[in-house]
Amino acid sequence: MQLSRHSRGWTKCAKRDLIHHVQPLISIHEAEDLILSQLPVLDWEETGLEHAYGRVLAETISADRPIPPYDRVMMDGVAISYQSFAAGRREFTITGTQAAGSPALTLENKDQCLEVMTGAVLPDGCDCVIKIEDIRLENGVAHLSPSCPASPGQHIHPAGSDQEKGSPLVSGGSILSAPELAIAASVGKTQILLVRQPNILLITTGDEVIPPDEQPRPHQIRRSHAPAIKASIESKQLGNVTNVHVSDTKEDLEKAISEGLEDFDIILLTGGISMGKFDYVAPVLDSLVGTPSFHGVAQRPGKPFAFWPGKTPVFALPGNPVSVMACLARYVLPALRHMRRETWNPQTLPLAHETIWNAPFPGLVASNVFDNQLHPSPPRNSGDYSALAGAQGICELPSSSPASTTLPFYPW
């Protein structure tokens, strides 16, 4: 007997062929270990400096010349020969001005001086800088105050005193932020070797969800997973996310996954991973990829979470909004950090107050961090996405816990 067209036009026999058996539940940490041990490692790519922020460096950046490259003036003032100062001279005729960016002048007469600017090269024949606050300028003569200090090398940044030529400045594996980019620019590294960003296909499912800019009918809801997942991943430079939405049919899902396995580094799916009549994700992946490493984790929310390893790893997240965000923070983001060779461990923080958790499994609980303490806010259910507003991530809560209990925190 044929099922109705509304039921996707399959025969009962065909429907039975899609039966997928959920595996025994494993622990959160078993799931984490299986994921991290089976992920491919990303290779390298050369990228312009302007696109390197937040990326992982795949080479060592070294000094292309001494730092600083010349004896550098550190104060506005005048440059003198200390020998004249030591002999008792306190008035020096100014014979020129050494501006920053100009070739070094030469002090011809040790009883004279040259006006100097911060950042300028130290003039030849000078070995001491008197700052402007200790000088009275009058008719082209610098009159030093009676209490003016002076010593050889005063207010001079010697060439090579910070780093020698060839010294490593930024090590491979570093995450590039503003200071590292400034260092790279200072040594002329306009093209940098970085860990490649993975191209991620995000497949969202569900006939009940419509684009955010459309008006839902009484039986529909707007899509919310894609903007949250894309923002979380891309803001951390962990990957480039492309989203496609497919209907709850085996054919559409199989086509999207097949194309993703060919063209992308990672596939993320949301929804369709449980045992409902139209939950086709697991059986389709079984037919395309094989048996998952696991399907089912002893956690709440997100119990149906599953992972398929391979050249293109597949993360299948449950469809409820809280489950999506919890699994994203606990598994997907750490996995992406691992793939780019980043050494990362969750921050451990104490609970600010006693937290009740009566579920049969450990919780991935939306939390805020204030004053270096965790403030969990357990949702009423895994669809209570409004409870996530203001939360910064999740803590892993094994059971009801008193205040000061230390727990790992995973930001999203």
Side-chain angles (χ1 to χ4, degrees):
M1 176 179 176
Q2 295 284 335
L3 296 177
S4 69
R5 185 175 181 179
H6 178 73
S7 297
R8 310 313 186 255
W10 295 3
T11 64
K12 286 184 177 179
C13 179
K15 182 68 177 69
R16 283 197 300 271
D17 290 341
L18 285 176
I19 292 176
H20 169 92
H21 297 284
V22 175
Q23 298 175 350
L25 297 182
I26 64 173
S27 72
I28 290 172
H29 296 285
E30 286 174 324
E32 177 185 48
D33 290 343
L34 284 169
I35 291 171
L36 297 184
S37 66
Q38 298 179 89
L39 288 174
V41 178
L42 297 167
D43 53 9
W44 322 111
E45 64 180 0
E46 194 170 63
T47 304
L49 183 63
E50 66 275 17
H51 301 299
Y53 182 85
R55 302 280 298 277
V56 175
L57 184 65
E59 61 177 327
T60 296
I61 296 176
S62 301
D64 64 333
R65 56 180 184 161
I67 301 177
Y70 52 79
D71 290 337
R72 174 179 167 272
V73 173
M74 300 178 67
M75 293 281 184
D76 293 335
V78 295
I80 65 172
S81 168
Y82 177 74
Q83 181 180 346
S84 291
F85 182 92
R89 180 171 290 276
R90 297 296 183 270
E91 295 179 358
F92 297 84
T93 301
I94 300 172
T95 61
T97 300
Q98 182 71 68
S102 297
L105 300 174
T106 299
L107 183 66
E108 302 291 352
N109 187 327
K110 294 184 181 299
D111 291 337
Q112 296 176 336
C113 71
L114 289 165
E115 191 175 14
V116 292
M117 307 298 155
T118 301
V121 61
L122 181 71
D124 293 335
C126 300
D127 60 358
C128 179
V129 172
I130 308 298
K131 62 183 180 180
I132 193 68
E133 292 84 354
D134 291 328
I135 300 169
R136 177 172 56 85
L137 298 177
E138 188 177 272
N139 298 323
V141 176
H143 300 268
L144 277 55
S145 67
S147 60
C148 171
S151 60
Q154 177 174 276
H155 302 316
I156 298 169
H157 192 185
S161 59
D162 291 344
Q163 300 289 344
E164 298 178 354
K165 180 179 178 179
S167 296
L169 305 179
V170 185
S171 300
S174 301
I175 297 176
L176 299 176
S177 60
E180 290 79 21
L181 296 181
I183 292 170
S186 74
V187 299
K189 286 290 293 184
T190 58
Q191 294 291 315
I192 305 179
L193 198 62
L194 304 172
V195 177
R196 185 174 63 83
Q197 285 188 302
N199 294 314
I200 301 169
L201 177 62
L202 170 60
I203 302 175
T204 50
T205 66
D207 289 345
E208 76 280 15
V209 290
I210 63 171
D213 58 352
E214 294 184 10
Q215 182 62 38
R217 299 172 68 183
H219 58 281
Q220 296 175 322
I221 57 175
R222 295 185 180 93
R223 299 174 196 161
S224 61
H225 299 338
I229 293 173
K230 184 178 178 70
S232 182
I233 290 174
E234 293 188 348
S235 66
K236 300 173 183 63
Q237 302 291 346
L238 291 172
N240 305 303
V241 179
T242 299
N243 174 227
V244 297
H245 187 82
V246 299
S247 61
D248 285 330
T249 68
K250 171 183 177 290
E251 293 80 10
D252 286 352
L253 185 62
E254 190 172 60
K255 181 175 184 293
I257 294 176
S258 295
E259 292 175 354
L261 291 170
E262 291 293 327
D263 300 332
F264 288 83
D265 299 300
I266 299 166
I267 296 177
L268 304 181
L269 292 113
T270 64
I273 191 60
S274 295
M275 294 294 291
K277 186 174 184 179
F278 302 119
D279 286 338
Y280 300 135
V281 168
V284 167
L285 278 167
D286 284 354
S287 67
L288 293 175
V289 182
T291 304
S293 288
F294 61 85
H295 183 183
V297 181
Q299 62 186 15
R300 182 169 290 181
K303 185 174 72 171
F305 175 57
F307 175 71
W308 278 259
K311 179 175 176 290
T312 301
V314 181
F315 296 82
L317 283 60
N320 282 323
V322 180
S323 299
V324 167
M325 294 304 294
C327 290
L328 176 73
R330 181 60 184 85
Y331 300 105
V332 178
L333 298 181
L336 295 176
R337 294 183 186 278
H338 182 82
M339 289 181 71
R340 71 176 189 175
R341 300 174 171 87
E342 179 182 347
T343 301
W344 185 88
N345 290 297
Q347 187 178 14
T348 55
L349 297 166
L351 285 173
H353 51 76
E354 181 184 12
T355 303
I356 304 302
W357 185 252
N358 292 322
F361 306 127
L364 305 179
V365 181
S367 303
N368 282 315
V369 177
F370 298 117
D371 296 327
N372 211 38
Q373 292 182 312
L374 283 171
H375 296 256
S377 300
R380 288 182 290 273
N381 57 72
S382 59
D384 184 16
Y385 62 87
S386 62
L388 301 181
Q392 299 161 310
I394 60 107
C395 71
E396 187 179 318
L397 185 65
S399 60
S400 296
S401 302
S404 299
T405 301
T406 301
L407 301 174
F409 174 72
Y410 296 83
W412 45 49

